[in-house]
Amino acid sequence: MDASTSSSHAYISNLIHTYGDMIYRLSLTYLRNLQDAQDVCQDVYIKLFKNMRDFNDTEHEKAWVIRVTINTCKDAIKSPWKRWFLPVADDLYSITSDDQLDVVSFVLTLPRKYRLVIHLYYFEGYQCNEIAELLSLKEGTVRTQLKRAKELLKTKMIGGVE
C-alpha cells in the first residue's frame, strides 16, 4: 500500500469515525427504515471516498457530509426498489428516558420535510440560516417548517386532532 492509499484510508476512516453516527441518524430520520438507512450510509461512505476534498474548517466539512447524506437519501427514495414496511429501531438516538423516546417517536411521525428541519435544528445544532443553506431553501421557509413542525408535535403530544 503506497502513501497515497494510506492517506486515503486515514481520511475516510476519520470521516466515518467523526460523522458515522450523524450520517446514520440523519438517514434513519429521513427514511424511517433501518435497512435503507444502512444502505444509504454505505453509499455515502463510497461517495465521500470517491470525492475526497480539502475543507477550510470542520463546519464546512460537516455541512458537506450532511448535504451528501440528504442527496443520497433522496436518491434512495426515488429508487424503484424502495420499500416502506420496516419499523424504525428504538435506538435511533441516544435515548436515556421514556420521555425522550416519546418525543423521538412523535418526531418520526411528522412529514419528511418537518422531520428533517427538526433533526438538523435540535439534534445537529444548526441554526435556521444554516439549515436553509444545507437544504437549498429560503430561511423563511425553514422557519415556517420548524414552526409548523413544533405545532404538529405539540398537537400530537397533547393528544389533539391534526
Side-chain angles (χ1 to χ4, degrees):
M1 181 163 38
D2 62 16
S4 164
T5 304
S6 177
S7 172
S8 297
H9 285 241
Y11 173 80
I12 198 67
S13 177
N14 182 52
L15 279 178
I16 291 170
H17 177 73
T18 304
Y19 301 112
D21 288 341
M22 181 193 68
I23 292 168
Y24 178 68
R25 285 191 316 267
L26 186 57
S27 300
L28 199 47
T29 299
Y30 200 92
L31 299 169
R32 292 191 300 184
N33 181 298
L34 182 64
Q35 283 73 22
D36 288 342
Q38 291 170 338
D39 289 345
V40 163
C41 287
Q42 290 177 353
D43 291 345
V44 167
Y45 298 148
I46 290 168
K47 288 177 182 181
L48 295 177
F49 184 75
K50 286 183 177 180
N51 300 298
M52 289 187 290
R53 299 176 178 210
D54 290 325
F55 297 97
N56 296 336
D57 56 42
T58 57
E59 282 304 310
H60 183 230
E61 180 181 69
K62 182 178 179 183
W64 182 70
V65 170
I66 288 173
R67 187 74 252 164
V68 170
T69 303
I70 291 169
N71 287 340
T72 306
C73 287
K74 288 179 179 180
D75 292 343
I77 289 170
K78 294 176 193 172
S79 168
W81 301 104
K82 181 76 186 110
R83 288 165 286 177
W84 290 87
F85 60 88
L86 294 176
V88 174
D90 289 340
D91 64 349
L92 171 59
Y93 300 95
S94 300
I95 299 172
T96 57
S97 73
D98 288 341
D99 290 340
Q100 288 178 334
L101 179 60
D102 289 342
V103 171
V104 169
S105 66
F106 284 120
V107 168
L108 292 173
T109 65
L110 295 174
R112 181 176 293 115
K113 65 183 178 180
Y114 298 149
R115 285 193 317 261
L116 193 53
V117 295
I118 288 284
H119 178 85
L120 291 172
Y121 188 81
Y122 287 107
F123 296 102
E124 299 303 332
Y126 280 95
Q127 299 299 313
C128 289
N129 62 330
E130 296 168 321
I131 295 170
E133 189 176 322
L134 282 170
L135 302 179
S136 301
L137 298 171
K138 293 181 180 176
E139 185 176 348
T141 302
V142 171
R143 289 186 188 283
T144 300
Q145 288 179 351
L146 194 56
K147 181 179 182 236
R148 289 180 181 163
K150 289 177 188 178
E151 290 169 355
L152 277 172
L153 278 175
K154 182 179 178 183
T155 301
K156 289 176 182 279
M157 293 177 79
I158 61 174
V161 179
E162 289 184 46

